[in-house]
Amino acid sequence: MTNISENLQAVRSRIAAACARCGRDPASVTLLAVSKTQPLAHILAAVAAGQYAFGENYVQEGVDKIAAAAELDTRVALEWHFIGPLQSNKTRPVANAFSWVHSVDRFKIAQRLSEQRDAHLPPLNLCIQVNVSAEQSKSGVAPEALVELAEHVAALPRVRLRGLMALPEPSDDEPLLHARFAHLRQLRDDLNARGLALDTLSMGMSHDLEAAIAEGATLVRIGTAVFGRRS
Ligand SMILES: *Cc1c(COP(=O)(O)O)cnc(C)c1O
């Protein structure tokens, strides 16, 4: 088994080095450990190494793991983020098991999450996923449609719009990656200039977290570099 504790240390060091290069405080970047397809034992190994925030992509797998983890004494409260594609008929379990959803790309999804979020829970934190690669196949709202969607989502009662998420096309082209991430930051700044108060830029994965941090990421979603290759 890969050494999750060592991997986490290495990722934290990469985050710290990336922050140092652009004069940012490492505390301004949250590490989200993407635990999709990983068994609970691997998540618990990460928890033992000081990790508390986890990202899941698949509704049933995520809900099952959250329930199983809740049965255990993990000492620290775990924070669960839903980061995968979400169909409108699957919103109900997500609305109540998770505390964040990063993949909102249309109003109907946000509206259902708001309606279905239990009144005794704090508002569900949302990010809107933006298609900054302009590829037909990618999910995410088109940049041109973002302002209208963001203003509608921000007005919903049981959710709190926190920021934007992007999943650019995989690439080794550094300038291209920087341009994609800078685009997302610009869109966030434009929304804030219109009166929204978005504090989150969810961007950067195992292979491109340095570029994302240089362009202002406040949360990086790291799977492979923490848990090893997915089977
Ligand atoms: C799987 C996944 C990640 C993590 O990717 P790695 O390359 O393994 O770090 C991040 N974000 C999303 C949306 C994912 O689906």
Side-chain angles (χ1 to χ4, degrees):
M1 190 173 109
T2 49
N3 190 323
I4 290 168
S5 171
E6 281 175 15
N7 289 352
L8 271 169
Q9 283 307 333
V11 171
R12 289 179 190 134
S13 298
R14 281 176 64 190
I15 292 171
C19 286
R21 280 194 293 276
C22 55
R24 295 186 57 191
D25 178 357
S28 68
V29 180
T30 298
L31 168 56
L32 183 70
V34 176
S35 47
K36 62 182 173 206
T37 78
Q38 301 293 338
L40 191 61
H42 293 186
I43 293 173
L44 296 178
V47 173
Q51 180 63 26
Y52 72 96
F54 295 91
E56 290 283 338
N57 284 62
Y58 310 105
V59 175
Q60 197 56 51
E61 179 190 336
V63 167
D64 288 348
K65 282 185 202 166
I66 292 168
E71 297 288 307
L72 303 169
D73 176 15
T74 51
R75 288 200 193 89
V76 290
L78 305 187
E79 186 178 277
W80 296 94
H81 297 233
F82 189 80
I83 64 172
L86 186 53
Q87 293 164 354
S88 58
N89 63 348
K90 299 250 180 78
T91 51
R92 187 176 296 278
V94 171
N96 292 305
F98 288 84
S99 49
W100 285 72
V101 175
H102 293 230
S103 46
V104 171
D105 60 358
R106 55 196 192 278
F107 183 66
K108 187 179 177 192
I109 297 288
Q111 191 179 33
R112 290 176 67 91
L113 290 170
S114 180
E115 280 167 11
Q116 293 166 345
R117 179 76 167 174
D118 274 353
H120 73 271
L121 293 172
L124 182 64
N125 297 294
L126 299 186
C127 291
I128 293 177
Q129 183 174 353
V130 185
N131 181 357
V132 290
S133 304
E135 284 173 22
Q136 292 289 320
S137 60
K138 288 277 175 180
S139 42
V141 67
E144 304 75 45
L146 176 61
V147 170
E148 197 190 349
L149 177 60
E151 288 181 342
H152 282 103
V153 172
L156 290 167
R158 301 288 314 136
V159 296
R160 187 166 155 221
L161 182 60
R162 296 292 298 271
L164 304 179
M165 184 271 247
L167 186 60
E169 74 272 42
S171 173
D172 294 327
D173 181 342
E174 278 289 314
L176 180 77
L177 283 172
H178 278 265
R180 298 302 191 217
F181 294 137
H183 187 190
L184 195 74
R185 184 191 58 210
Q186 184 63 54
L187 292 168
R188 192 270 317 259
D189 292 347
D190 292 348
L191 289 172
N192 283 349
R194 301 177 74 97
L196 296 183
L198 306 184
D199 59 14
T200 301
L201 278 177
S202 168
M203 58 188 196
M205 313 199 296
S206 292
H207 67 286
D208 58 11
L209 71 88
E210 283 83 3
I213 287 172
E215 299 299 341
T218 66
L219 181 149
V220 291
R221 307 179 311 267
I222 311 298
T224 313
V226 170
F227 294 108
R229 276 243 169 79
R230 288 179 288 275
S231 44

Coordinates of all heavy atoms in Angstrom, one line a residue, residues 116-196:
Q116 N -33.8 20.8 -0.7 CA -33.7 19.5 0.0 C -32.7 19.6 1.2 O -32.7 18.6 2.0 CB -33.2 18.5 -1.0 CG -34.3 18.2 -2.1 CD -33.7 17.4 -3.3 OE1 -32.5 17.3 -3.5 NE2 -34.6 16.9 -4.1
R117 N -32.0 20.6 1.4 CA -31.1 20.8 2.5 C -31.9 20.9 3.8 O -32.8 21.8 3.9 CB -30.2 22.0 2.4 CG -29.2 22.3 3.5 CD -28.1 21.4 3.4 NE -27.0 21.8 4.3 CZ -25.9 21.1 4.5 NH1 -25.7 19.9 3.9 NH2 -24.9 21.5 5.3
D118 N -31.6 20.0 4.8 CA -32.4 20.1 6.1 C -32.3 21.4 6.7 O -31.2 22.0 6.8 CB -31.8 19.0 7.0 CG -32.5 17.6 6.8 OD1 -33.4 17.6 6.0 OD2 -32.0 16.7 7.4
A119 N -33.4 21.9 7.3 CA -33.4 23.2 7.9 C -32.5 23.3 9.1 O -32.0 24.4 9.5 CB -34.8 23.6 8.3
H120 N -32.2 22.1 9.8 CA -31.4 22.2 11.0 C -29.9 22.2 10.6 O -29.0 22.3 11.5 CB -31.7 21.1 12.0 CG -31.3 19.7 11.5 ND1 -32.1 18.9 10.7 CD2 -30.1 19.1 11.7 CE1 -31.4 17.8 10.4 NE2 -30.2 17.9 11.0
L121 N -29.5 22.0 9.4 CA -28.1 22.0 9.0 C -27.7 23.4 8.5 O -28.6 24.2 8.1 CB -27.9 21.0 7.8 CG -28.1 19.5 8.1 CD1 -28.0 18.7 6.8 CD2 -27.0 19.1 9.1
P122 N -26.4 23.8 8.7 CA -26.0 25.1 8.1 C -26.2 25.0 6.6 O -26.3 24.0 6.0 CB -24.5 25.2 8.6 CG -24.1 23.8 8.9 CD -25.4 23.0 9.3
P123 N -26.2 26.2 6.0 CA -26.3 26.2 4.5 C -25.3 25.4 3.8 O -24.1 25.3 4.3 CB -26.2 27.7 4.2 CG -26.5 28.5 5.4 CD -26.1 27.6 6.5
L124 N -25.7 24.7 2.7 CA -24.7 23.9 1.9 C -23.9 24.9 1.1 O -24.4 25.8 0.4 CB -25.6 23.1 1.0 CG -24.9 22.1 0.1 CD1 -24.1 21.0 0.9 CD2 -25.9 21.4 -0.9
N125 N -22.5 24.7 1.2 CA -21.6 25.5 0.4 C -21.5 25.1 -1.0 O -21.4 23.9 -1.3 CB -20.2 25.5 1.1 CG -20.2 26.0 2.5 OD1 -20.4 27.2 2.7 ND2 -20.0 25.1 3.4
L126 N -21.7 26.0 -1.9 CA -21.7 25.7 -3.3 C -20.5 26.4 -4.1 O -20.2 27.5 -3.8 CB -23.0 26.0 -4.0 CG -24.3 25.4 -3.5 CD1 -25.4 25.8 -4.4 CD2 -24.2 23.9 -3.4
C127 N -20.0 25.7 -5.1 CA -19.2 26.3 -6.1 C -19.9 26.0 -7.5 O -20.5 25.0 -7.7 CB -17.8 25.8 -6.2 SG -16.8 26.2 -4.8
I128 N -19.8 27.0 -8.4 CA -20.3 26.8 -9.7 C -19.1 26.3 -10.6 O -18.0 26.9 -10.5 CB -20.9 28.1 -10.3 CG1 -22.2 28.4 -9.6 CG2 -21.1 27.9 -11.8 CD1 -22.8 29.7 -10.0
Q129 N -19.3 25.2 -11.3 CA -18.3 24.7 -12.2 C -18.4 25.4 -13.5 O -19.4 25.5 -14.1 CB -18.4 23.2 -12.4 CG -17.3 22.6 -13.2 CD -17.4 21.0 -13.3 OE1 -18.2 20.4 -12.6 NE2 -16.6 20.5 -14.1
V130 N -17.2 25.9 -13.9 CA -17.2 26.7 -15.2 C -16.4 26.0 -16.2 O -15.3 25.4 -15.9 CB -16.6 28.1 -14.9 CG1 -16.7 29.0 -16.2 CG2 -17.3 28.8 -13.8
N131 N -16.8 25.9 -17.4 CA -16.1 25.3 -18.5 C -15.2 26.3 -19.1 O -15.5 27.1 -19.9 CB -17.1 24.8 -19.6 CG -16.4 24.1 -20.7 OD1 -15.1 24.1 -20.7 ND2 -17.1 23.6 -21.6
V132 N -13.9 26.3 -18.6 CA -12.9 27.3 -19.1 C -12.1 26.7 -20.3 O -11.2 27.4 -20.8 CB -12.0 27.8 -18.0 CG1 -12.7 28.6 -17.0 CG2 -11.3 26.6 -17.3
S133 N -12.4 25.5 -20.7 CA -11.7 24.9 -21.8 C -12.5 25.0 -23.1 O -12.0 24.6 -24.1 CB -11.3 23.4 -21.5 OG -10.6 23.3 -20.3
A134 N -13.7 25.4 -23.0 CA -14.6 25.5 -24.2 C -14.6 24.2 -25.0 O -14.6 24.3 -26.2 CB -14.2 26.7 -25.0
E135 N -14.6 23.1 -24.4 CA -14.7 21.8 -25.1 C -16.1 21.3 -25.0 O -16.7 21.4 -23.9 CB -13.8 20.8 -24.5 CG -12.3 20.9 -24.8 CD -11.5 19.9 -24.0 OE1 -12.0 18.9 -23.6 OE2 -10.3 20.2 -23.9
Q136 N -16.7 20.8 -26.0 CA -18.1 20.4 -26.0 C -18.3 19.3 -24.9 O -19.3 19.3 -24.3 CB -18.4 19.7 -27.4 CG -18.4 20.7 -28.5 CD -19.6 21.6 -28.5 OE1 -20.7 21.2 -28.1 NE2 -19.4 22.9 -28.8
S137 N -17.3 18.5 -24.7 CA -17.5 17.3 -23.9 C -17.4 17.6 -22.4 O -17.9 16.8 -21.6 CB -16.4 16.3 -24.2 OG -15.2 16.8 -24.0
K138 N -16.9 18.8 -22.0 CA -16.7 19.1 -20.6 C -18.0 19.6 -20.0 O -18.7 20.4 -20.5 CB -15.6 20.1 -20.5 CG -14.2 19.6 -20.8 CD -13.7 18.9 -19.6 CE -12.3 18.2 -20.0 NZ -11.7 17.5 -18.9
S139 N -18.2 19.2 -18.7 CA -19.3 19.8 -18.0 C -18.8 21.2 -17.4 O -17.7 21.6 -17.4 CB -19.8 18.9 -16.9 OG -18.7 18.3 -16.2
G140 N -19.8 21.9 -17.0 CA -19.5 23.3 -16.5 C -20.3 24.3 -17.3 O -20.6 24.1 -18.5
V141 N -20.7 25.4 -16.6 CA -21.4 26.4 -17.3 C -20.5 27.2 -18.2 O -19.3 27.4 -17.9 CB -22.1 27.3 -16.3 CG1 -21.1 28.1 -15.5 CG2 -23.1 28.3 -17.0
A142 N -21.0 27.7 -19.4 CA -20.1 28.5 -20.3 C -19.9 29.8 -19.6 O -20.8 30.4 -18.9 CB -20.9 28.7 -21.6
P143 N -18.7 30.4 -19.7 CA -18.4 31.7 -19.1 C -19.4 32.7 -19.4 O -19.8 33.5 -18.5 CB -17.0 32.1 -19.6 CG -16.4 30.7 -20.0 CD -17.5 29.8 -20.4
E144 N -20.0 32.7 -20.6 CA -21.0 33.8 -21.0 C -22.2 33.7 -20.1 O -23.0 34.6 -20.0 CB -21.3 33.6 -22.4 CG -20.2 33.7 -23.4 CD -19.3 32.5 -23.4 OE1 -19.9 31.3 -23.5 OE2 -18.1 32.6 -23.4
A145 N -22.5 32.5 -19.6 CA -23.8 32.3 -18.9 C -23.6 32.3 -17.4 O -24.5 32.1 -16.6 CB -24.4 30.9 -19.3
L146 N -22.4 32.6 -17.0 CA -22.0 32.5 -15.5 C -22.7 33.6 -14.7 O -23.2 33.3 -13.6 CB -20.5 32.6 -15.3 CG -20.0 32.6 -13.9 CD1 -20.5 31.3 -13.2 CD2 -18.5 32.8 -13.8
V147 N -22.7 34.8 -15.1 CA -23.3 35.9 -14.3 C -24.7 35.6 -13.9 O -25.1 35.7 -12.7 CB -23.1 37.3 -15.0 CG1 -23.9 38.4 -14.2 CG2 -21.7 37.7 -15.1
E148 N -25.5 35.3 -14.9 CA -26.9 35.0 -14.6 C -27.1 33.9 -13.6 O -27.9 34.0 -12.7 CB -27.7 34.8 -15.9 CG -29.2 34.9 -15.8 CD -29.9 34.4 -17.0 OE1 -29.3 34.1 -18.0 OE2 -31.2 34.3 -16.8
L149 N -26.4 32.8 -13.9 CA -26.5 31.6 -13.0 C -26.1 32.0 -11.6 O -26.7 31.7 -10.6 CB -25.7 30.5 -13.6 CG -25.6 29.2 -12.7 CD1 -27.0 28.6 -12.5 CD2 -24.7 28.1 -13.3
A150 N -24.9 32.7 -11.5 CA -24.4 33.0 -10.1 C -25.4 33.9 -9.4 O -25.6 33.6 -8.2 CB -23.0 33.7 -10.3
E151 N -26.0 34.8 -10.0 CA -26.9 35.7 -9.3 C -28.1 35.0 -8.8 O -28.6 35.2 -7.7 CB -27.2 36.9 -10.2 CG -26.0 37.9 -10.3 CD -26.2 39.1 -11.1 OE1 -27.1 39.2 -11.9 OE2 -25.4 40.0 -10.9
H152 N -28.6 34.0 -9.6 CA -29.8 33.2 -9.2 C -29.4 32.3 -8.1 O -30.2 32.1 -7.1 CB -30.3 32.5 -10.4 CG -31.1 33.3 -11.3 ND1 -30.7 33.8 -12.5 CD2 -32.4 33.8 -11.2 CE1 -31.6 34.5 -13.1 NE2 -32.7 34.5 -12.3
V153 N -28.3 31.6 -8.2 CA -27.9 30.7 -7.1 C -27.6 31.4 -5.8 O -28.0 31.0 -4.7 CB -26.6 29.9 -7.6 CG1 -26.1 29.1 -6.4 CG2 -26.9 29.0 -8.8
A154 N -27.0 32.6 -5.9 CA -26.7 33.4 -4.7 C -27.9 33.8 -3.9 O -27.9 34.0 -2.7 CB -25.8 34.6 -5.0
A155 N -29.1 33.8 -4.6 CA -30.3 34.2 -4.0 C -31.1 33.1 -3.3 O -32.1 33.3 -2.6 CB -31.2 34.9 -5.0
L156 N -30.6 31.9 -3.5 CA -31.3 30.7 -2.9 C -31.1 30.7 -1.3 O -30.0 31.0 -0.9 CB -30.8 29.4 -3.5 CG -31.2 29.2 -5.0 CD1 -30.4 28.0 -5.6 CD2 -32.7 28.9 -5.0
P157 N -32.1 30.2 -0.6 CA -32.0 30.4 0.9 C -31.1 29.4 1.6 O -30.5 29.7 2.6 CB -33.5 30.2 1.3 CG -34.1 29.4 0.2 CD -33.4 29.8 -1.0
R158 N -31.1 28.1 1.2 CA -30.5 27.1 2.1 C -29.1 26.7 1.6 O -28.5 25.7 2.0 CB -31.3 25.8 2.1 CG -32.7 26.0 2.7 CD -32.7 26.3 4.2 NE -31.9 25.4 4.9 CZ -31.1 25.7 5.9 NH1 -31.0 27.0 6.3 NH2 -30.4 24.8 6.5
V159 N -28.6 27.5 0.6 CA -27.2 27.2 0.1 C -26.4 28.5 0.2 O -27.0 29.6 0.3 CB -27.2 26.7 -1.4 CG1 -27.9 25.3 -1.5 CG2 -27.9 27.7 -2.3
R160 N -25.1 28.4 0.2 CA -24.3 29.6 0.2 C -23.3 29.5 -1.0 O -22.5 28.6 -1.0 CB -23.6 29.7 1.5 CG -22.8 31.0 1.6 CD -22.4 31.3 3.1 NE -21.3 32.2 3.1 CZ -20.2 32.1 3.8 NH1 -20.1 31.1 4.7 NH2 -19.2 32.9 3.7
L161 N -23.4 30.4 -1.9 CA -22.5 30.4 -3.1 C -21.1 30.9 -2.6 O -21.0 32.0 -2.2 CB -23.0 31.2 -4.2 CG -22.1 31.2 -5.5 CD1 -22.0 29.8 -6.1 CD2 -22.6 32.2 -6.5
R162 N -20.1 30.0 -2.7 CA -18.8 30.3 -2.1 C -17.8 30.6 -3.2 O -16.8 31.3 -3.0 CB -18.3 29.1 -1.3 CG -19.1 28.8 -0.1 CD -19.0 29.9 1.0 NE -17.6 30.1 1.4 CZ -17.1 29.4 2.5 NH1 -17.8 28.6 3.2 NH2 -15.8 29.6 2.8
G163 N -18.0 30.1 -4.4 CA -17.0 30.4 -5.5 C -17.1 29.6 -6.7 O -18.2 29.2 -7.0
L164 N -16.0 29.4 -7.4 CA -16.0 28.8 -8.7 C -15.1 27.6 -8.7 O -14.1 27.5 -8.0 CB -15.6 29.8 -9.8 CG -16.4 31.1 -9.9 CD1 -15.8 31.9 -11.0 CD2 -17.9 30.8 -10.1
M165 N -15.4 26.6 -9.6 CA -14.6 25.4 -9.7 C -14.3 25.2 -11.2 O -15.1 25.5 -12.1 CB -15.3 24.2 -9.2 CG -14.5 22.9 -9.2 SD -14.6 21.9 -10.7 CE -15.5 20.5 -10.0
A166 N -13.1 24.8 -11.5 CA -12.7 24.4 -12.9 C -11.9 23.1 -13.0 O -11.2 22.8 -12.0 CB -12.0 25.5 -13.6
L167 N -12.1 22.4 -14.0 CA -11.5 21.1 -14.3 C -10.9 21.2 -15.8 O -11.5 20.7 -16.7 CB -12.5 20.0 -14.2 CG -12.1 18.6 -14.2 CD1 -11.1 18.2 -13.2 CD2 -13.4 17.7 -14.1
P168 N -9.9 22.0 -16.0 CA -9.4 22.2 -17.4 C -9.0 20.9 -18.0 O -8.7 19.9 -17.3 CB -8.2 23.1 -17.2 CG -8.2 23.6 -15.8 CD -9.0 22.6 -15.0
E169 N -8.9 20.8 -19.3 CA -8.4 19.7 -20.0 C -7.0 19.3 -19.6 O -6.2 20.2 -19.3 CB -8.5 19.9 -21.5 CG -7.4 20.8 -22.1 CD -7.8 22.3 -22.1 OE1 -8.4 22.8 -21.1 OE2 -7.4 23.0 -23.0
P170 N -6.7 18.0 -19.4 CA -5.3 17.7 -19.0 C -4.3 18.2 -20.0 O -4.6 18.1 -21.2 CB -5.4 16.1 -19.0 CG -6.8 15.7 -19.1 CD -7.5 16.9 -19.7
S171 N -3.2 18.7 -19.5 CA -2.3 19.3 -20.5 C -0.9 19.5 -19.8 O -0.8 19.6 -18.6 CB -2.8 20.7 -20.9 OG -1.8 21.3 -21.7
D172 N 0.2 19.3 -20.5 CA 1.5 19.6 -20.0 C 1.9 21.0 -20.5 O 3.1 21.4 -20.2 CB 2.5 18.6 -20.6 CG 2.2 17.2 -20.0 OD1 1.8 17.1 -18.9 OD2 2.5 16.3 -20.7
D173 N 1.0 21.7 -21.1 CA 1.3 23.1 -21.6 C 1.2 24.1 -20.5 O 0.1 24.5 -20.2 CB 0.4 23.4 -22.8 CG 0.6 24.7 -23.4 OD1 1.3 25.6 -22.8 OD2 0.1 24.9 -24.5
E174 N 2.3 24.4 -19.8 CA 2.2 25.3 -18.6 C 1.5 26.6 -18.9 O 0.6 27.0 -18.1 CB 3.6 25.6 -18.1 CG 4.2 24.4 -17.2 CD 3.5 24.4 -15.9 OE1 3.3 25.4 -15.2 OE2 3.1 23.2 -15.5
P175 N 1.9 27.3 -20.0 CA 1.2 28.6 -20.2 C -0.3 28.4 -20.4 O -1.1 29.3 -19.9 CB 1.9 29.2 -21.5 CG 3.2 28.5 -21.5 CD 3.0 27.1 -20.9
L176 N -0.7 27.3 -21.1 CA -2.1 27.1 -21.3 C -2.8 26.9 -19.9 O -3.9 27.4 -19.6 CB -2.3 25.9 -22.2 CG -3.8 25.5 -22.4 CD1 -4.4 26.5 -23.4 CD2 -4.0 24.1 -22.9
L177 N -2.2 26.1 -19.1 CA -2.8 25.8 -17.7 C -3.0 27.1 -16.9 O -4.0 27.4 -16.3 CB -1.9 24.8 -16.9 CG -2.0 23.4 -17.3 CD1 -1.0 22.6 -16.6 CD2 -3.4 22.8 -17.0
H178 N -1.9 27.9 -17.0 CA -2.0 29.2 -16.3 C -3.1 30.1 -16.8 O -3.8 30.7 -16.1 CB -0.6 30.0 -16.4 CG 0.4 29.5 -15.4 ND1 0.6 30.2 -14.2 CD2 1.2 28.5 -15.4 CE1 1.5 29.5 -13.5 NE2 1.9 28.5 -14.2
A179 N -3.3 30.0 -18.2 CA -4.3 30.9 -18.8 C -5.7 30.4 -18.3 O -6.6 31.2 -18.0 CB -4.2 30.8 -20.3
R180 N -5.9 29.0 -18.3 CA -7.2 28.5 -17.8 C -7.5 29.0 -16.4 O -8.6 29.4 -16.1 CB -7.2 27.0 -17.9 CG -7.0 26.3 -19.2 CD -8.0 26.8 -20.2 NE -7.9 25.9 -21.4 CZ -8.1 26.4 -22.6 NH1 -8.4 27.7 -22.8 NH2 -8.1 25.6 -23.7
F181 N -6.5 28.8 -15.5 CA -6.7 29.1 -14.1 C -6.9 30.7 -13.9 O -7.7 31.1 -13.1 CB -5.6 28.6 -13.2 CG -5.5 27.1 -13.2 CD1 -4.3 26.5 -13.3 CD2 -6.6 26.3 -13.0 CE1 -4.2 25.1 -13.2 CE2 -6.5 24.9 -12.9 CZ -5.3 24.3 -13.1
A182 N -6.1 31.4 -14.7 CA -6.3 32.9 -14.6 C -7.7 33.3 -15.1 O -8.3 34.3 -14.5 CB -5.2 33.6 -15.4
H183 N -8.2 32.6 -16.0 CA -9.5 32.9 -16.5 C -10.6 32.7 -15.4 O -11.4 33.6 -15.2 CB -9.8 32.0 -17.7 CG -11.1 32.3 -18.5 ND1 -11.7 31.5 -19.4 CD2 -12.0 33.4 -18.3 CE1 -12.8 32.1 -19.9 NE2 -13.0 33.2 -19.2
L184 N -10.5 31.6 -14.7 CA -11.4 31.3 -13.6 C -11.3 32.4 -12.5 O -12.3 32.9 -12.0 CB -11.2 30.0 -13.0 CG -12.4 29.5 -12.1 CD1 -13.6 29.1 -13.0 CD2 -12.0 28.3 -11.2
R185 N -10.1 32.8 -12.2 CA -9.9 33.9 -11.2 C -10.5 35.2 -11.7 O -11.2 35.9 -10.9 CB -8.4 34.1 -10.9 CG -8.2 35.1 -9.8 CD -6.7 35.6 -9.7 NE -6.3 36.1 -11.0 CZ -5.0 36.0 -11.4 NH1 -4.1 35.4 -10.7 NH2 -4.7 36.5 -12.6
Q186 N -10.3 35.5 -13.0 CA -10.9 36.7 -13.5 C -12.5 36.7 -13.4 O -13.1 37.7 -13.1 CB -10.5 36.9 -15.0 CG -11.0 38.2 -15.6 CD -10.4 39.4 -14.9 OE1 -9.1 39.5 -14.8 NE2 -11.2 40.3 -14.4
L187 N -13.0 35.5 -13.7 CA -14.5 35.4 -13.6 C -15.0 35.6 -12.2 O -16.0 36.3 -12.0 CB -14.9 34.0 -14.2 CG -14.7 33.8 -15.7 CD1 -14.9 32.3 -16.0 CD2 -15.7 34.7 -16.5
R188 N -14.2 35.1 -11.3 CA -14.6 35.3 -9.8 C -14.5 36.8 -9.5 O -15.3 37.3 -8.8 CB -13.6 34.4 -9.0 CG -14.0 34.3 -7.5 CD -13.4 35.3 -6.6 NE -12.1 35.7 -6.8 CZ -11.0 35.2 -6.1 NH1 -11.2 34.4 -5.1 NH2 -9.8 35.6 -6.4
D189 N -13.4 37.4 -9.9 CA -13.2 38.8 -9.6 C -14.3 39.6 -10.2 O -14.8 40.6 -9.6 CB -11.8 39.3 -10.1 CG -10.7 38.7 -9.3 OD1 -10.9 38.1 -8.2 OD2 -9.5 38.8 -9.8
D190 N -14.7 39.3 -11.4 CA -15.8 40.0 -12.1 C -17.1 39.9 -11.3 O -17.9 40.9 -11.1 CB -16.1 39.5 -13.5 CG -14.9 39.8 -14.4 OD1 -14.1 40.6 -14.1 OD2 -14.9 39.2 -15.5
L191 N -17.4 38.7 -10.8 CA -18.6 38.5 -10.0 C -18.5 39.3 -8.7 O -19.5 39.9 -8.2 CB -18.8 37.0 -9.7 CG -19.2 36.1 -10.9 CD1 -19.2 34.6 -10.5 CD2 -20.6 36.5 -11.4
N192 N -17.4 39.3 -8.0 CA -17.2 40.0 -6.8 C -17.4 41.5 -7.1 O -18.0 42.2 -6.2 CB -15.9 39.7 -6.1 CG -15.9 38.4 -5.4 OD1 -17.0 37.8 -5.3 ND2 -14.8 37.9 -5.0
A193 N -17.0 42.0 -8.2 CA -17.1 43.4 -8.6 C -18.6 43.7 -8.7 O -19.0 44.9 -8.6 CB -16.4 43.8 -9.8
R194 N -19.4 42.7 -9.0 CA -20.9 42.9 -9.2 C -21.6 42.8 -7.8 O -22.8 42.8 -7.8 CB -21.5 41.9 -10.1 CG -20.9 42.0 -11.5 CD -21.5 40.9 -12.4 NE -22.8 41.2 -12.8 CZ -23.1 41.8 -13.9 NH1 -22.2 42.1 -14.8 NH2 -24.4 42.1 -14.2
G195 N -20.9 42.6 -6.8 CA -21.5 42.5 -5.4 C -21.6 41.2 -4.8 O -22.0 41.1 -3.6
L196 N -21.2 40.1 -5.5 CA -21.1 38.8 -4.8 C -19.8 38.8 -4.0 O -18.9 39.5 -4.2 CB -21.1 37.7 -5.8 CG -22.4 37.6 -6.7 CD1 -22.3 36.4 -7.6 CD2 -23.6 37.5 -5.8

